[in-house]
Amino acid sequence: VPALATELQFAQRLREHLEERQLLDGRYRLQEVPGGRVALPVLEEKLDQLWLPQEMPCRLVRIQDPVPSRAARRRTPAQKLRDELQRLLGESWSEELERDVPHTWQRHGDLVLLSEDSFGAVLWEKLGPALWETVASALGAQRLARRGRVLPDGMRSPNVTLLLGQDGWVEHVDNGIRYTFDVTKCMFSPGNITEKLRVASLPCSGEVLVDLYAGIGYFTLPYLVHAAAAFAHACEWNSHAVEALRRNLALNGVQDRCRVHHGDNRQVSSADQPRSLQPHTACYSLPLFFQLELRDVADRVNLGLIPSSEEGWPVACRVLKKGTGGVLHIHHNVETPPAPAPRQAPLLQAEQGSPEGAGSDGEVQCPMEGSGKETLGARIRPEWQKWAEATAARIQGLLAELHKQPWRTSILHIEAVKSYAPHVHHLVLDLECRPTLP
């Protein structure tokens, strides 16, 4: 960085002179240079504004390895970014521009994924391509991308644009599991980490899992890597997610314990399709072997689709072992209207000692995400209980219709994953399903 070198006796006067004219580069410390002098870093873009009194002898030098100042080391990445943009824009900086600077983002290795409301057109008009280089430098990234609204294509495909860099493939590590995916093609929700941790702690040794909405392996991998499931069938219709899923299985060394089924699991035979669910058109159909072989195999079925996994319920019933049944993990978004002074409902029995319950303290851990600002506690809300009971009854009916014999369903646990939107909560119902003995 450029600096003005002067004798020690003039250093304080030179510093005051540079600060008064806003020429001092506060990102770096004063440093000693050969000849018993000190060098004061100056802003390179303002070198043409330097004017020094003759009684203050100094000369321009270059510091090859500048030492960051204490203030620079204390600044958060967001502050560094704001300060860099403010420095570049000078007097044209305004409060309106500052509101466009993000305070949060997702980091995946050397790629930073910005939110859709980051940086308006004005900043781009003023700085052009230099904007993204400045942002990347301030945030310590090599690549930048910005997400838009999720595409309404039935696959929750991301609408992500690369701003800096040519390749969207990244790697992310959660709970010791490596995930690789293309941020421009696949979604990754860090808000689901509590559910992934819970899944990893479930007792699945020796079990066969069917994951009906596998994605890149968000839940398939915790079941295989940590919960010790014996085998998994991972179903996914998005070809980009399937590519990432296959890579992730290999990355974590569990590819031999998982079979990937590429296609739309809603495409079931007419004999298995309940009258209450209308057929849907999808981009893929599962191969015939799925319809013929993937039934009566699962001890556990994961239905990790929001806002609703209801279209997968008939398939989940079909793949459960008809002789012994198993457990369904049903994801759903449930609306909870606000109440002025709600009375707390009693805890579910399963909350007080179920092996698949929450934490040892019985509280439902629920990180906030999106625009929801509510605080979720350990109590099961009446709307959640009502949804769980209705779902249990519906699944019981589907199983009885499919197998031509009575089944029983039991609510094991209701997990609040996160606040998906104001008064809308992403829940997971652990539902035990068993055939009734004659």
Side-chain angles (χ1 to χ4, degrees), residues 155-172:
M155 298 186 190
R156 289 182 57 78
S157 298
N159 180 16
V160 172
T161 303
L162 276 174
L163 305 172
L164 188 65
Q166 302 298 321
D167 182 11
W169 280 91
V170 299
E171 183 169 314
H172 189 92

Side-chain angles (χ1 to χ4, degrees), residues 15-31:
R15 182 189 185 99
E16 294 172 355
H17 178 84
L18 293 174
E19 287 180 339
E20 181 181 353
R21 288 160 178 76
Q22 297 183 344
L23 301 176
L24 187 69
D25 192 341
R27 296 174 300 173
Y28 306 105
R29 295 176 57 182
L30 280 66
Q31 292 183 232

Side-chain angles (χ1 to χ4, degrees), residues 131-403:
L131 171 61
W132 307 132
E133 295 173 2
T134 301
V135 173
S137 176
L139 300 184
Q142 298 296 319
R143 295 176 291 164
L144 281 181
R146 179 167 57 190
R147 65 174 182 263
R149 294 188 178 277
V150 176
L151 297 176
D153 58 359
M155 298 186 190
R156 289 182 57 78
S157 298
N159 180 16
V160 172
T161 303
L162 276 174
L163 305 172
L164 188 65
Q166 302 298 321
D167 182 11
W169 280 91
V170 299
E171 183 169 314
H172 189 92
V173 179
D174 261 356
N175 194 24
I177 296 175
R178 297 169 64 188
Y179 298 89
T180 185
F181 58 100
D182 186 340
V183 294
T184 67
K185 306 294 183 183
C186 301
M187 294 281 290
F188 189 90
S189 176
N192 290 338
I193 182 61
T194 56
E195 179 62 10
K196 284 184 280 188
L197 291 172
R198 191 178 76 94
V199 161
S201 69
L202 295 178
C204 301
S205 179
E207 293 185 352
V208 174
L209 165 77
V210 173
D211 190 350
L212 288 182
Y213 307 98
I216 67 172
Y218 308 105
F219 298 112
T220 304
L221 289 167
Y223 275 112
L224 290 171
V225 175
H226 294 308
F231 197 83
H233 294 275
C235 309
E236 176 56 43
W237 73 343
N238 185 329
S239 57
H240 301 295
V242 167
E243 181 184 0
L245 173 60
R246 295 188 190 279
R247 292 192 187 192
N248 292 330
L249 291 169
L251 269 178
N252 293 277
V254 293
Q255 67 272 26
D256 295 336
R257 291 162 49 211
C258 184
R259 186 175 184 179
V260 178
H261 302 275
H262 181 190
D264 179 7
N265 63 45
R266 297 176 303 185
Q267 301 298 320
V268 297
S269 64
S270 58
D272 292 331
Q273 183 73 25
R275 299 168 186 167
S276 56
L277 291 179
Q278 298 299 319
H280 289 71
T281 301
C283 18
Y284 303 105
S285 292
L286 281 175
L288 182 60
F289 70 76
F290 178 94
Q291 298 194 33
L292 295 178
E293 295 180 15
L294 197 56
R295 62 175 67 221
D296 187 23
V297 297
D299 301 290
R300 198 176 293 266
V301 184
N302 195 72
L303 297 107
L305 181 67
I306 54 174
S308 174
S309 62
E310 186 173 353
E311 289 180 324
W313 295 356
V315 183
C317 292
R318 187 184 66 193
V319 301
L320 274 180
K321 290 182 177 178
K322 63 181 181 182
T324 57
V327 177
L328 305 183
H329 300 280
I330 304 171
H331 292 236
H332 196 81
N333 281 354
V334 176
E335 185 173 357
T336 309
R343 296 178 59 187
Q344 291 184 322
L347 282 169
L348 284 180
Q349 187 66 31
E351 293 278 326
Q352 304 178 12
S354 165
E356 297 179 345
S360 58
D361 57 359
E363 291 192 357
V364 177
Q365 302 298 321
C366 185
M368 306 307 291
E369 182 174 281
S371 56
K373 301 297 182 182
E374 301 168 77
T375 299
L376 302 183
R379 304 293 176 174
I380 299 301
R381 304 186 181 186
E383 293 81 7
W384 303 357
Q385 179 73 21
K386 183 178 179 180
W387 164 76
E389 291 173 353
T391 300
R394 179 73 184 283
I395 295 293
Q396 185 177 28
L398 291 174
L399 287 165
E401 179 183 349
L402 175 65
H403 297 293

